[in-house]
């Protein structure tokens, strides 16, 4: 990362190096855990990128006050709305917005899937317990 007169830049090689250590890196946010990539500290905004080098699922969750916007840079990414079981498949160039209080599961189903995500309300993730929801568990495991 380079800062010069208030200008903030992260080079692609820096991002790729950081994502080789941890698949999700934040550019902007109020982070609870340290990460390899330097970031701008901001309470009400999170922007970052995930690189799924292998197919994998994320932990089901919702956001209390944030909308989450996802832009798919490459690969194939799926979202399952937990309450309705509606599924969305994103391909390169697709953009999806998930409103606050919407419980969802997500997974990258292709190697080297890369997302850009933006959350407008800051760090407000709430984990969803799916222990009794066999349909969601099966969906998550089907990679």
């Amino acid at each position: 990362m380079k800062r010069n007169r208030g200008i903030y830049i992260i080079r692609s090689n820096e991002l790729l190096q950081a994502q080789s250590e941890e698949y999700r890196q934040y550019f902007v946010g109020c982070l609870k855990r340290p990460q390899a990539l330097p970031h701008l500290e901001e309470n009400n905004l999170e922007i970052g990128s995930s690189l799924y080098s292998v197919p994998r699922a994320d932990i089901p969750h919702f956001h209390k006050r944030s909308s989450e916007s996802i832009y798919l840079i490459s690969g194939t990414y799926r979202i399952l709305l937990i309450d309705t079981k509606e599924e969305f498949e994103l391909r390169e160039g697709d953009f999806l917005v998930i409103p606050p209080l919407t419980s969802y599961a997500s997974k990258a189903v292709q190697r080297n899937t890369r997302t850009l995500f933006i959350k407008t309300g800051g760090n407000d993730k709430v984990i969803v317990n799916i222990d009794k929801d066999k349909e969601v568990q099966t969906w998550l495991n089907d990679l």
Side-chain angles (χ1 to χ4, degrees):
M1 176 186 79
K2 184 176 181 182
R3 284 186 183 213
N4 185 4
R5 291 176 273 175
I7 302 297
Y8 166 77
I9 186 169
I10 297 171
R11 299 290 183 187
S12 61
N13 62 322
E14 295 170 314
L15 176 58
L16 288 173
Q17 175 60 40
Q19 285 180 320
S20 72
E21 298 170 28
E22 176 61 38
Y23 80 105
R24 179 167 292 136
Q25 294 291 313
Y26 291 81
F27 308 134
V28 177
C30 182
L31 307 184
K32 293 179 180 176
R33 295 181 293 161
Q35 68 172 16
L37 193 68
H39 68 282
L40 288 176
E41 192 72 23
E42 174 67 46
N43 288 328
N44 293 314
L45 178 65
E46 287 186 353
I47 302 172
S49 177
S50 297
L51 173 59
Y52 301 87
S53 58
V54 296
R56 71 173 278 182
D58 289 317
I59 297 170
H61 64 279
F62 69 89
H63 298 279
K64 291 186 279 187
R65 61 188 174 279
S66 296
S67 291
E68 181 160 6
S69 300
I70 301 168
Y71 176 75
L72 193 66
I73 298 168
S74 63
T76 305
Y77 193 68
R78 292 188 182 137
I79 306 283
L80 178 70
L81 304 183
I82 292 174
D83 295 336
T84 65
K85 305 302 189 267
E86 186 174 6
E87 183 177 5
F88 300 90
E89 181 172 281
L90 303 180
R91 295 189 184 98
E92 186 174 323
D94 288 348
F95 179 77
L96 175 82
V97 177
I98 302 168
L101 302 175
T102 303
S103 297
Y104 67 96
S106 58
K107 62 184 178 181
V109 295
Q110 211 174 26
R111 293 176 57 84
N112 297 319
T113 293
R114 182 185 296 275
T115 65
L116 174 71
F117 58 87
I118 302 167
K119 292 179 257 176
T120 56
N123 194 336
D124 65 344
K125 181 187 285 187
V126 177
I127 303 302
V128 174
N129 184 341
I130 59 161
D131 288 346
K132 296 180 181 177
D133 194 329
K134 299 299 182 203
E135 188 175 347
V136 174
Q137 290 176 7
T138 299
W139 184 88
L140 286 168
N141 291 325
D142 182 23
L143 295 170

